[in-house]
Amino acid sequence: MIDNSLQSPESSKAKTILKLLQGCNSLKKLRKIHAFVITNGLQHHPAISTKLLHFCAVSVSGSLPYAVLLFRHHILNPQTDDWNSIIRGFSQSPNPLKAIFYYNDMVLAADKNFDCRPDSYTFSFLLRASERTKAERKCREVHGSIIRRGYEADVVVCTNLVKSYCGNGLVETARKVFDEMPVKDLVSWNSMILCYSQAGFHHEALRTYDLMRNENVGVDGFTLVGLLSSCAHVGAQNIGVEMHRMACKREFLRNVFVGNALINMYAKCGNLDAARSVFDSMIKRDVLTWNSMVVGYGGHGLGKEAIEFFEKMLMAGFHPNSITFLGLLCGCNHQGLVEEGVEYFHRMTSKYNIKPGIKHYGCLVDLFGRAGKLEKALEVIKNCPSQHDPVLWRTLLSSCKIHKNVEMGEIAMRSLVQVGASNAGDCILLASIYQGVNNVDGVARMRKMIKSWGIRTTPGWSWIEVADQVHKFVVDDKSHPHTNEIYNKLREVIHVLSQLGYVEEGFWGTSTSSYHSEKLAIAFGIARTPEGTCLRIVKNLRVCGDCHSFTKFVSKAFNREIVVRDRVRFHHFKGGLCSCNDYW
DNA sequence: ATAGGGTTAG
């Protein structure tokens, strides 16, 4: 029957239809073609129905419901290709679970019909579906099927498997699959690196690159983007510079993704000049390029520059998005540009139709709070759609600490308790507010609260990059292989500083014998880098008053520029002063 | 005929 139809005059019609399908770019045209197919009795012509199905299921101008219709009624005996089309269609649809259902049907059908066994393509689509459904059990099931059907050596299938496990939060399992792959190509390596980077395992990402280098699979733009993102997160500028060199050598600089990632890396490592020069050298830019600069300046507390770039961005014809405004507002915050910040906050909605998110409200609360307009800050929280968010109250609480406002601090604390989100950090904040006004009872109450809850604060850590190695320290860290050297150096540094007037501040006025992680990192940096080298520290919490003062003294006494990136912003220490003007 | 990879904020 098939052969007959190809021999008959209808075969020329079939050819026409296939050609029409190739140029089809809308559902409307598709319906016309389909009508033509039916009037000519060609709906069961295998080449045509398969092509039609593929188009409907996969093409952007196709239609998945239409594909289902074709699959059910026109394709009498679906083959692997047909199943693949429908599974692929659903795997990228809003309902990826259906892809898995179709796969189950396919397996049943394959018991009777040899022509519709799943192949490596099927598994690629299926894995994408199981990644998107966020069902780790499904992912494991699919893994089982892959092994049973003998595809565990297929590079593409395994790369998808790695991605799928990672997407489901099973990074270790993904790594195991990756390690067991008999053949790994450039894409597999890139995927593994990107997975780590996206999961926040930045050191693993960088370590994986070290392994990759020995494998002769090369490097491309994708590799660099993943690695640069991790460099940015851990503040590894030396490695980032190495990537930059590589990008220049291989002409990856035309690649917008690479350029953006470079700007971000330099900005996050505290080197805005380098970020700027990458920006200037880029031939093509997009919103992310501009955002990276605005966010870069904003994060450094350079509100004026952030605004300047924002205005340039508009003139260049780019549309700002919610991230642009986050950078802009952040810059206004740290420079105390209250009027400007408020103005941009309103313009965000009125002119650009961007709904402010919780972060934007947080910026506004911070903007008022930092500037001492605590009533205004409170008003913002009360008028905000998500006024039960602990982050906003916590922001207000820290503003109260800056301005030593007990009453407002208690309001913020009460709200935190009310929404059931108060933690030890909040108690410490309020305690230091009490401490500031010599309210002994208050301090004691907070101490008791922390004790009775038995909650511990987030452990702090600091990173420093010395000679292409990132070293991590926690409070009173003794795990570093050169602990003795570091502690000796630190004691020596403190001795030098104390002769210049530095006094160690204890927690709540008590003397303390503990060393915060950044002190250890700085001591290590001084011990291990040549004089004059800039030290770059990244830490997960805010800088405390004592460490801030310590770092200022170090920058002067040891003639070092020190860049500290804390959870919120950058501090550039130089000659005994900090770029934040002691306001952070 | 049909496959796998991308950066900001959090």
Side-chain angles (χ1 to χ4, degrees):
Chain A
M1 182 197 110
I2 296 163
D3 286 337
N4 281 349
S5 75
L6 284 172
Q7 297 303 320
S8 73
E10 273 154 1
S11 75
S12 70
K13 279 183 188 152
K15 270 188 197 149
T16 318
I17 290 166
L18 290 173
K19 209 169 248 169
L20 280 174
L21 263 176
Q22 233 147 36
C24 179
N25 56 10
S26 74
L27 193 56
K28 221 166 143 188
K29 279 187 195 164
L30 184 70
R31 282 188 203 281
K32 270 191 192 158
I33 297 170
H34 192 208
F36 188 61
V37 169
I38 292 172
T39 50
N40 284 287
L42 285 168
Q43 60 267 45
H44 298 311
H45 187 292
I48 289 183
S49 53
T50 296
K51 197 93 181 169
L52 207 54
L53 171 68
H54 181 254
F55 179 86
C56 293
V58 175
S59 154
V60 271
S61 42
S63 151
L64 206 46
Y66 214 84
V68 171
L69 221 70
L70 287 173
F71 188 77
R72 290 226 178 106
H73 301 295
H74 286 180
I75 299 186
L76 305 174
N77 216 343
Q79 315 254 303
T80 300
D81 299 345
D82 302 316
W83 286 102
N84 282 354
S85 293
I86 203 89
I87 291 172
R88 181 182 179 186
F90 275 109
S91 78
Q92 57 200 37
S93 77
N95 190 1
L97 200 59
K98 281 217 165 149
I100 296 171
F101 295 156
Y102 272 97
Y103 170 75
N104 293 340
D105 291 346
M106 180 186 192
V107 172
L108 288 178
D111 284 343
K112 289 175 240 144
N113 183 353
F114 211 64
D115 290 337
C116 64
R117 278 183 315 171
D119 62 6
S120 62
Y121 292 87
T122 320
F123 286 115
S124 292
F125 305 137
L126 188 61
L127 282 166
R128 180 176 358 187
S130 71
E131 184 192 347
R132 291 193 50 223
T133 51
K134 296 283 168 232
E136 56 165 274
R137 212 168 49 90
K138 267 276 102 68
C139 191
R140 290 184 203 276
E141 268 175 45
V142 176
H143 191 179
S145 313
I146 287 168
I147 294 172
R148 273 198 306 280
R149 294 189 179 264
Y151 288 100
E152 81 255 55
D154 187 295
V155 202
V156 180
V157 170
C158 285
T159 303
N160 270 312
L161 193 54
V162 168
K163 243 192 93 206
S164 193
Y165 272 127
C166 264
N168 281 303
L170 300 170
V171 185
E172 306 241 322
T173 317
R175 178 56 188 250
K176 215 168 156 265
V177 172
F178 179 76
D179 283 340
E180 285 166 8
M181 282 171 72
V183 182
K184 304 181 184 75
D185 63 10
L186 181 56
V187 180
S188 334
W189 281 98
N190 285 350
S191 298
M192 193 65 243
I193 288 175
L194 262 159
C195 279
Y196 276 135
S197 184
Q198 285 167 348
F201 296 163
H202 304 296
H203 292 98
E204 282 306 320
L206 297 176
R207 213 169 308 156
T208 305
Y209 171 65
D210 278 336
L211 299 174
M212 178 183 182
R213 278 203 285 211
N214 302 325
E215 297 293 321
N216 281 325
V217 284
V219 167
D220 66 6
F222 289 89
T223 326
L224 295 186
V225 166
L227 291 171
L228 283 168
S229 166
S230 284
C231 287
H233 275 104
V234 302
Q237 190 183 239
N238 297 342
I239 304 175
V241 168
E242 192 55 45
M243 302 290 138
H244 192 175
R245 239 179 257 136
M246 203 140 57
C248 293
K249 221 165 52 195
R250 296 170 201 237
E251 306 203 341
F252 293 145
L253 282 182
R254 302 161 175 279
N255 182 327
V256 192
F257 286 92
V258 173
N260 293 349
L262 276 170
I263 293 178
N264 180 245
M265 181 276 294
Y266 278 123
K268 288 291 183 327
C269 289
N271 193 341
L272 282 173
D273 292 340
R276 177 67 198 262
S277 85
V278 173
F279 177 90
D280 288 337
S281 74
M282 281 171 73
I283 308 160
K284 214 179 122 205
R285 304 186 179 109
D286 64 10
V287 186
L288 264 96
T289 320
W290 289 94
N291 277 358
S292 299
M293 289 306 296
V294 174
V295 171
Y297 282 122
H300 284 267
L302 297 167
K304 294 241 165 65
E305 285 80 355
I307 291 173
E308 191 189 308
F309 248 85
F310 174 73
E311 297 294 344
K312 272 199 221 162
M313 170 182 186
L314 297 182
M315 286 200 286
F318 286 89
H319 284 285
N321 62 22
S322 68
I323 294 166
T324 322
F325 281 99
L326 230 38
L328 199 53
L329 291 173
C330 183
C332 291
N333 268 357
H334 294 301
Q335 222 167 51
L337 304 173
V338 181
E339 267 175 49
E340 290 87 340
V342 172
E343 154 78 15
Y344 282 118
F345 183 85
H346 290 303
R347 216 197 282 177
M348 172 167 73
T349 322
S350 65
K351 193 159 177 196
Y352 300 100
N353 205 17
I354 299 165
K355 214 175 124 217
I358 185 73
K359 292 271 157 353
H360 299 93
Y361 280 104
C363 278
L364 199 60
V365 171
D366 207 21
L367 187 66
F368 284 128
R370 239 175 243 285
K373 301 176 192 268
L374 298 172
E375 295 289 341
K376 276 279 202 190
L378 181 64
E379 201 182 301
V380 173
I381 301 182
K382 287 196 163 162
N383 292 323
C384 158
S386 45
Q387 49 182 287
H388 296 304
D389 196 297
V391 176
L392 298 182
W393 292 110
R394 205 159 281 144
T395 306
L396 179 61
L397 186 58
S398 35
S399 298
C400 293
K401 185 193 163 186
I402 298 172
H403 298 285
K404 297 187 167 60
N405 187 320
V406 176
E407 293 76 32
M408 195 63 89
E410 287 177 339
I411 292 177
M413 189 61 173
R414 232 176 288 142
S415 306
L416 281 167
V417 173
Q418 239 169 45
V419 298
S422 51
N423 62 30
D426 302 328
C427 297
I428 291 172
L429 265 174
L430 187 55
S432 60
I433 296 173
Y434 285 135
Q435 171 79 31
V437 294
N438 288 321
N439 181 336
V440 185
D441 289 350
V443 175
R445 228 174 37 244
M446 287 304 113
R447 270 210 179 129
K448 237 173 106 183
M449 222 160 148
I450 295 170
K451 264 212 174 124
S452 72
W453 288 350
I455 330 168
R456 302 182 60 195
T457 44
T458 318
W461 46 250
S462 297
W463 281 324
I464 184 168
E465 189 196 29
V466 172
D468 290 2
Q469 281 289 327
V470 177
H471 301 260
K472 185 175 177 175
F473 296 93
V474 296
V475 180
D476 294 327
D477 203 316
K478 297 256 164 49
S479 65
H480 195 278
H482 299 100
T483 296
N484 282 341
E485 179 193 348
I486 296 164
Y487 276 80
N488 287 338
K489 192 67 186 180
L490 181 53
R491 277 188 285 269
E492 180 196 322
V493 170
I494 290 174
H495 178 71
V496 172
L497 300 190
S498 65
Q499 299 194 319
L500 296 168
Y502 166 69
V503 184
E504 272 181 280
E505 282 171 39
F507 183 43
W508 296 339
T510 59
S511 71
T512 172
S513 55
S514 76
Y515 291 130
H516 278 173
S517 56
E518 66 243 68
K519 286 190 184 172
L520 294 168
I522 288 171
F524 183 66
I526 289 177
R528 288 304 180 90
T529 58
E531 218 182 311
T533 312
C534 174
L535 303 180
R536 297 170 195 283
I537 317 280
V538 178
K539 58 174 293 153
N540 64 333
L541 304 175
R542 306 279 348 243
V543 184
C544 80
D546 174 47
C547 288
H548 196 267
S549 150
F550 171 84
T551 313
K552 280 200 292 184
F553 272 99
V554 171
S555 72
K556 182 157 189 188
F558 292 83
N559 190 25
R560 295 275 191 151
E561 211 176 316
I562 304 172
V563 180
V564 178
R565 181 175 118 199
D566 78 9
R567 194 166 55 79
V568 179
R569 61 163 296 160
F570 282 89
H571 300 261
H572 289 252
F573 296 91
K574 201 179 171 182
L577 298 173
C578 177
S579 62
C580 76
N581 288 321
D582 302 338
Y583 181 65
W584 78 96

